[in-house]
């Protein structure tokens, strides 16, 4: 399975992995120092660092999984005929009569408050494959939303 990134989000995620690996070393040292304090059954520092170590290890695993088989959105062929990952969709929200622009990218790029959404989100899945002038209803966790697609273009235009 491919993981979609812009080059910028891939660099951020790679940097996060580097920092996590350094943190793993530091937390491991702290755990060893706490273990040297004696009785582990009553050693709060040891238990806290053990938990922190598990959390860092889990996050490292998650990030490594994300970085497996990356596909760069900038390299995708996006013609603008249909909504897909890497597109910016200009639409009319038929419920509010407001024009809205959604940018559909990978999970690492998502910033929902700026309408930059993951291709895995319910909203994006409702748009993907649709064409210009399509009137659509999308089921999202908060209910149904109705849109008219006004324009489709590359996300970086």
């Amino acid at each position: 399975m491919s993981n979609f990134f812009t080059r910028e989000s891939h660099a951020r995620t790679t940097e996060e992995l580097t920092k996590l690996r350094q943190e793993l070393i530091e937390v491991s040292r702290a755990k060893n120092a706490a273990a040297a304090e004696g009785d582990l059954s009553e050693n709060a520092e040891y238990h806290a660092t053990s938990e922190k170590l598990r959390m860092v290890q889990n996050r490292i695993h998650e990030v490594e999984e994300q970085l497996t088989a990356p596909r760069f959105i900038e390299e995708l062929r996006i013609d603008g005929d249909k909504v897909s990952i890497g597109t910016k969709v200009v639409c009319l929200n038929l419920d509010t009569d407001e024009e809205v622009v959604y940018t559909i990218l990978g999970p690492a790029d998502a910033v929902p408050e700026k309408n930059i959404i993951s291709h895995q989100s319910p909203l994006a899945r409702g748009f993907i494959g649709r064409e210009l002038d399509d009137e659509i209803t999308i089921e999202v966790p908060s209910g149904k939303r109705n849109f008219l697609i006004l324009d489709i273009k590359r996300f970086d235009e």
Side-chain angles (χ1 to χ4, degrees):
M1 181 174 127
S2 295
N3 296 300
F4 292 96
F5 291 92
T6 59
R7 293 199 181 285
E8 180 182 332
S9 67
H10 186 269
R12 274 195 322 266
T13 306
T14 301
E15 183 178 325
E16 178 187 1
L17 182 59
T18 300
K19 288 178 181 177
L20 284 166
R21 287 179 174 154
Q22 182 59 41
E23 184 178 3
L24 181 67
I25 292 168
E26 293 166 9
V27 173
S28 293
R29 286 182 184 145
K31 180 182 173 188
N32 289 338
E37 297 291 319
D39 184 8
L40 298 182
S41 65
E42 296 181 17
N43 188 329
E45 182 74 21
Y46 175 80
H47 294 289
T49 54
S50 293
E51 180 60 27
K52 175 82 172 175
L53 189 62
R54 274 192 297 281
M55 289 172 40
V56 172
Q57 289 171 327
N58 288 341
R59 183 64 187 146
I60 286 172
H61 178 72
E62 289 172 9
V63 173
E64 286 175 338
E65 286 289 313
Q66 290 173 14
L67 291 170
T68 302
R71 297 225 15 228
F72 293 104
I73 297 170
E74 292 90 342
E75 296 174 2
L76 297 177
R77 186 178 165 276
I78 301 165
D79 55 21
D81 291 340
K82 287 187 177 189
V83 178
S84 66
I85 187 166
T87 57
K88 192 175 282 192
V89 185
V90 180
C91 55
L92 179 65
N93 182 327
L94 297 172
D95 302 317
T96 63
D97 207 34
E98 293 178 339
E99 189 173 293
V100 186
V101 179
Y102 291 104
T103 304
I104 302 174
L105 299 173
D109 290 287
V111 185
E113 54 275 4
K114 293 184 177 180
N115 289 343
I116 301 171
I117 58 176
S118 166
H119 70 285
Q120 298 170 334
S121 71
L123 189 58
R125 287 194 313 258
F127 278 117
I128 291 174
R130 301 304 185 124
E131 299 176 352
L132 193 62
D133 296 324
D134 279 358
E135 194 171 310
I136 58 174
T137 300
I138 301 174
E139 184 79 37
V140 294
S142 62
K144 292 183 180 183
R145 294 169 72 190
N146 300 291
F147 299 96
L148 173 65
I149 297 176
L150 303 174
D151 194 14
I152 303 167
K153 52 190 168 190
R154 282 187 61 90
F155 79 99
D156 50 3
E157 289 183 354

